[in-house]
Amino acid sequence: MNLLRKLVLPLFAVIFYSSGVSGRNVANYQVIPLPQEIVQNQQPEFTLNKKTRIVYTPGNELLKKNAEFLAEYIKSTVGLKLKVQAGKENANSIILSTGLNSQNKEAYTITVSKENGIRISGASEAGTFYGVQTIRKSLPSCACTSVAFPAGSINDQPRFSYRGMMLDVCRHFMTVEEVKTFIDMMALHNQNMLHWHLTEDQGWRIEIKKYPRLTEIGSVRSETVIGHNSGKYDGVPHKGFYTQEQIRDVVAYAQQRYITIIPEIDMPGHMVAALTAYPNLGCTGGPYEVRKTWGVAEDVLCLGKESTFEFVEGVLSEVLELFPSKFIHIGGDEAPRVRWAACPQCQARIKAEGLQAKDGHSAEDRLQSYFTTRVEKYLNGKGRRLIGWDEILEGGLAPDATVMSWRGVKGGIKAAQQNHDVVMSPNSHAYFDHYQSKDTKNEPDAIGGFLPVDVVYSYEPVPEELTADQKKHVLGAQANIWTEYIPNFKQVQYMAMPRVAAMSEVQWTQPEKKNYERFLTRLPRLIDIYEALNYNYAKHLFNVPTMAPANK
Ligand code: ACM
Ligand code: ZN
């Protein structure tokens, strides 16, 4: 019995033990996120043992990879090293296939019986992968020679096609290995969209060959403010970026786990690192300095100069080469208007384009909308779709834009009412940089707020006020990890888990199946996996003293 189990024993009853009363090791299909349908029957169970084979459809390399993942998970959870093979199943097999007929390509079914083994059938290889995740999470945590799988079936598919996490690697850089671990964490929670926030005022983190100074200059800040813009600095340079080769490697790693990486190039605001590298991109021409403090900067891209658009397209053309994602995130948040209001070139653009203040939006609001629409046209021309934070609504939404609603849900509602797709990521329920406890003195410093697991769990992404047709525009939900106050990856994990477990049921499970009390009963077995993988997670739910992550 591990430490956590001892600690939570008084809190959670014995039913959470995966071993039955007889001391046998029994799989439990009550996993997180909860499958839509689990039916157990009284037929003889399937016994997994060292002779069990994991069998995939011959010639299907993706299924082979899924089979290898399952072998790896079983090895790390129960210690059994199973053989993976193409075809030649017998009754002691776990069989992976893609035979399921479903409109939802992420759907899967699992059937378990003594005569036919465990059959995981996906509507695509992605569906099979989620079936593999469910089997993996059903395993008891033990060093055991056999595991009994109760006979029955599981029918499952995600509620939403967009199940995201955002990771900010700009305020604090995370290594390739750490980003890969983040991807593994997402796969464990059946998430499929990694929104990778790659550019910021405080650091530009993606190599762009046409503009080498973006990383030579823009990826380094000389030091970082201590705490909440205290005026005191740590005196330590902070730097880091990903080469294009590293990015290709991370994209491929995510793809194997059915995760799409959506890159974010945040513009026209949050661009001070780029302005420092190329001061002509700004209205004043600088000089600029990669920011050492947090908050919103007044210096943004100059939208009057044609050269700004050449730069944006130059950057995006390389981004598109690296990321196959249909969605490309262009940020759009927190772009103050002061520089544009005072800039002769921006004002000339406003005049030339006939951008006028109306309906509560200034001419400068319309200037941002002009910019977004032009970028969207470029992306659409390359077969991609633009997604941006809800500020892109101001001054008029670009024709095909998808809106990520972060300042509450209002932006998402407004966009869906205009028949635009939306992803819900409200700061009320999805900002994992907020505190998890009211006892903030005993927590690592956070940006503020209070977002405990139950509040995340309670989130319903589809607003009531939308019509049935408008509701279809809600593609899903996303949680965001901004890292101003998160100096290292251990702390990213601490802020993510177990809140991401709650978010995963928001994203995957139909609302009528959700139940917070039962979620809590399922959680300890997921926590066992966190422990086995050496993930650093928050323990507030278990009434144990908070263990704040150590600094690097
Ligand atoms: C944001 O939190 N600025 C999107
Ligand atoms: Zn300007």
Side-chain angles (χ1 to χ4, degrees):
M1 192 189 295
N2 64 35
L3 171 71
L4 185 72
R5 279 290 169 86
K6 275 189 208 141
L7 292 165
V8 300
L9 193 56
L11 202 61
F12 297 110
V14 272
I15 54 163
F16 312 128
Y17 280 85
S18 36
S19 303
V21 277
S22 61
R24 295 177 328 122
N25 297 303
V26 182
N28 182 341
Y29 307 131
Q30 301 285 321
V31 302
I32 292 174
L34 184 67
Q36 313 302 350
E37 183 183 82
I38 303 170
V39 183
Q40 280 182 223
N41 61 41
Q42 299 309 311
Q43 301 300 310
E45 67 201 17
F46 173 82
T47 305
L48 181 134
N49 56 33
K50 69 173 194 288
K51 295 216 169 120
T52 303
R53 299 281 183 262
I54 305 177
V55 177
Y56 62 91
T57 312
N60 188 325
E61 288 302 308
L62 296 175
L63 284 183
K64 180 180 182 195
K65 186 72 198 165
N66 284 345
E68 288 165 357
F69 281 134
L70 183 56
E72 191 183 304
Y73 299 145
I74 291 172
K75 171 91 175 49
S76 66
T77 311
V78 298
L80 289 170
K81 194 167 184 308
L82 304 189
K83 199 171 154 204
V84 168
Q85 65 188 40
K88 300 197 279 295
E89 71 207 51
N90 62 26
N92 191 4
S93 301
I94 303 175
I95 302 126
L96 309 192
S97 70
T98 51
L100 179 66
N101 189 6
S102 170
Q103 298 280 47
N104 188 329
K105 291 298 157 208
E106 297 182 307
Y108 69 90
T109 60
I110 299 175
T111 56
V112 181
S113 70
K114 185 175 164 67
E115 315 85 70
N116 292 314
I118 297 180
R119 293 178 175 264
I120 307 176
S121 180
S124 69
E125 290 83 359
T128 313
F129 181 77
Y130 295 118
V132 163
Q133 294 301 327
T134 293
I135 289 296
R136 165 214 198 165
K137 287 179 269 195
S138 305
L139 290 166
S141 163
C142 58
C144 31
T145 52
S146 71
V147 177
F149 281 78
S153 60
I154 298 170
N155 291 309
D156 198 14
Q157 61 179 55
R159 177 183 180 197
F160 292 112
S161 61
Y162 190 113
R163 305 181 302 281
M165 289 293 287
M166 188 219 72
L167 182 62
D168 167 13
V169 293
C170 301
R171 273 54 177 266
H172 286 97
F173 182 67
M174 306 292 155
T175 65
V176 165
E177 282 314 305
E178 289 166 342
V179 176
K180 286 182 175 175
T181 301
F182 194 80
I183 289 167
D184 290 340
M185 288 158 48
M186 289 180 63
L188 177 64
H189 296 91
N190 296 15
Q191 294 176 312
N192 65 350
M193 298 283 175
L194 170 55
H195 167 178
W196 202 4
H197 185 79
L198 286 164
T199 67
E200 256 306 338
D201 295 322
Q202 295 86 0
W204 183 284
R205 309 273 174 234
I206 171 173
E207 179 189 28
I208 301 293
K209 294 198 193 284
K210 187 170 178 193
Y211 299 105
R213 288 170 61 86
L214 286 173
T215 43
E216 282 164 19
I217 307 285
S219 73
V220 186
R221 66 173 177 266
S222 58
E223 57 184 350
T224 304
V225 73
I226 293 170
H228 293 241
N229 286 352
S230 65
K232 298 200 184 83
Y233 294 82
D234 65 4
V236 182
H238 188 86
K239 61 183 176 186
F241 68 91
Y242 309 103
T243 64
Q244 294 200 348
E245 197 183 340
Q246 287 175 319
I247 287 185
R248 284 200 176 87
D249 176 46
V250 173
V251 168
Y253 187 90
Q255 263 172 347
Q256 286 184 328
R257 290 151 184 81
Y258 300 92
I259 291 171
T260 300
I261 302 190
I262 301 174
E264 180 183 354
I265 307 297
D266 199 349
M267 52 198 176
H270 290 281
M271 268 279 164
V272 175
L275 299 184
T276 309
Y278 296 99
N280 282 340
L281 293 170
C283 291
T284 65
Y288 305 101
E289 184 185 21
V290 180
R291 291 192 80 202
K292 310 185 288 191
T293 55
W294 314 125
V296 175
E298 292 189 339
D299 287 307
V300 299
L301 290 178
C302 175
L303 302 187
K305 296 174 193 168
E306 211 40 38
S307 54
T308 300
F309 290 86
E310 277 164 36
F311 169 81
V312 166
E313 291 186 9
V315 168
L316 287 177
S317 72
E318 294 190 31
V319 167
L320 299 186
E321 287 291 313
L322 295 168
F323 294 95
S325 167
K326 188 91 176 160
F327 280 125
I328 301 294
H329 205 301
I330 57 88
D333 58 323
E334 300 176 322
R337 308 334 191 177
V338 283
R339 294 287 182 261
W340 299 339
C343 170
Q345 281 155 296
C346 286
Q347 290 304 313
R349 171 84 69 192
I350 284 172
K351 193 147 174 250
E353 295 296 330
L355 306 172
Q356 283 167 9
K358 67 170 194 272
D359 303 335
H361 292 298
S362 65
E364 287 74 24
D365 291 345
R366 307 242 173 241
L367 183 61
Q368 179 166 350
S369 175
Y370 163 84
F371 169 78
T372 311
T373 302
R374 237 179 110 167
V375 175
E376 172 169 278
K377 206 172 271 171
Y378 173 79
L379 291 174
N380 287 168
K382 306 281 178 190
R384 311 299 181 98
R385 294 189 68 195
L386 178 146
I387 184 168
W389 299 111
D390 59 50
E391 284 91 333
I392 65 171
L393 277 153
E394 292 163 15
L397 209 42
D400 182 49
T402 298
V403 170
M404 192 168 265
S405 191
W406 74 277
R407 296 175 298 178
V409 297
K410 285 193 307 294
I413 292 170
K414 201 165 161 196
Q417 285 170 339
Q418 296 175 29
N419 293 321
H420 282 251
D421 286 343
V422 303
V423 172
M424 301 304 269
S425 190
N427 49 9
S428 53
H429 293 79
Y431 268 50
F432 287 5
D433 55 343
H434 290 188
Y435 280 111
Q436 308 179 65
S437 165
K438 289 202 160 154
D439 179 18
T440 56
K441 287 191 305 304
N442 289 310
E443 286 292 302
D445 194 18
I447 198 162
F450 175 54
L451 182 62
V453 177
D454 60 319
V455 174
V456 178
Y457 196 83
S458 72
Y459 183 51
E460 170 47 52
V462 181
E464 276 293 314
E465 48 268 75
L466 297 180
T467 65
D469 277 344
Q470 290 163 354
K471 283 177 177 169
K472 291 188 196 137
H473 285 294
V474 179
L475 304 181
Q478 174 174 290
N480 299 331
I481 302 192
W482 298 104
T483 58
E484 288 96 328
Y485 302 97
I486 303 183
N488 57 55
F489 188 66
K490 276 252 164 284
Q491 197 164 322
V492 166
Q493 291 191 318
Y494 176 84
M495 298 306 269
M497 293 176 287
R499 289 189 285 198
V500 62
M503 180 53 76
S504 79
E505 292 213 352
V506 171
Q507 295 167 327
W508 183 280
T509 307
Q510 291 297 340
E512 62 276 12
K513 308 267 175 195
K514 282 174 63 201
N515 177 305
Y516 185 63
E517 296 308 316
R518 289 201 213 121
F519 165 81
L520 289 180
T521 70
R522 295 193 287 278
L523 189 57
R525 293 188 313 107
L526 184 63
I527 298 271
D528 275 349
I529 299 180
Y530 296 169
E531 293 260 339
L533 295 170
N534 205 18
Y535 290 167
N536 185 39
Y537 59 96
K539 301 176 177 69
H540 309 88
L541 278 179
F542 307 107
N543 279 341
V544 300
T546 302
M547 283 176 240
N551 282 339
K552 253 181 193 161

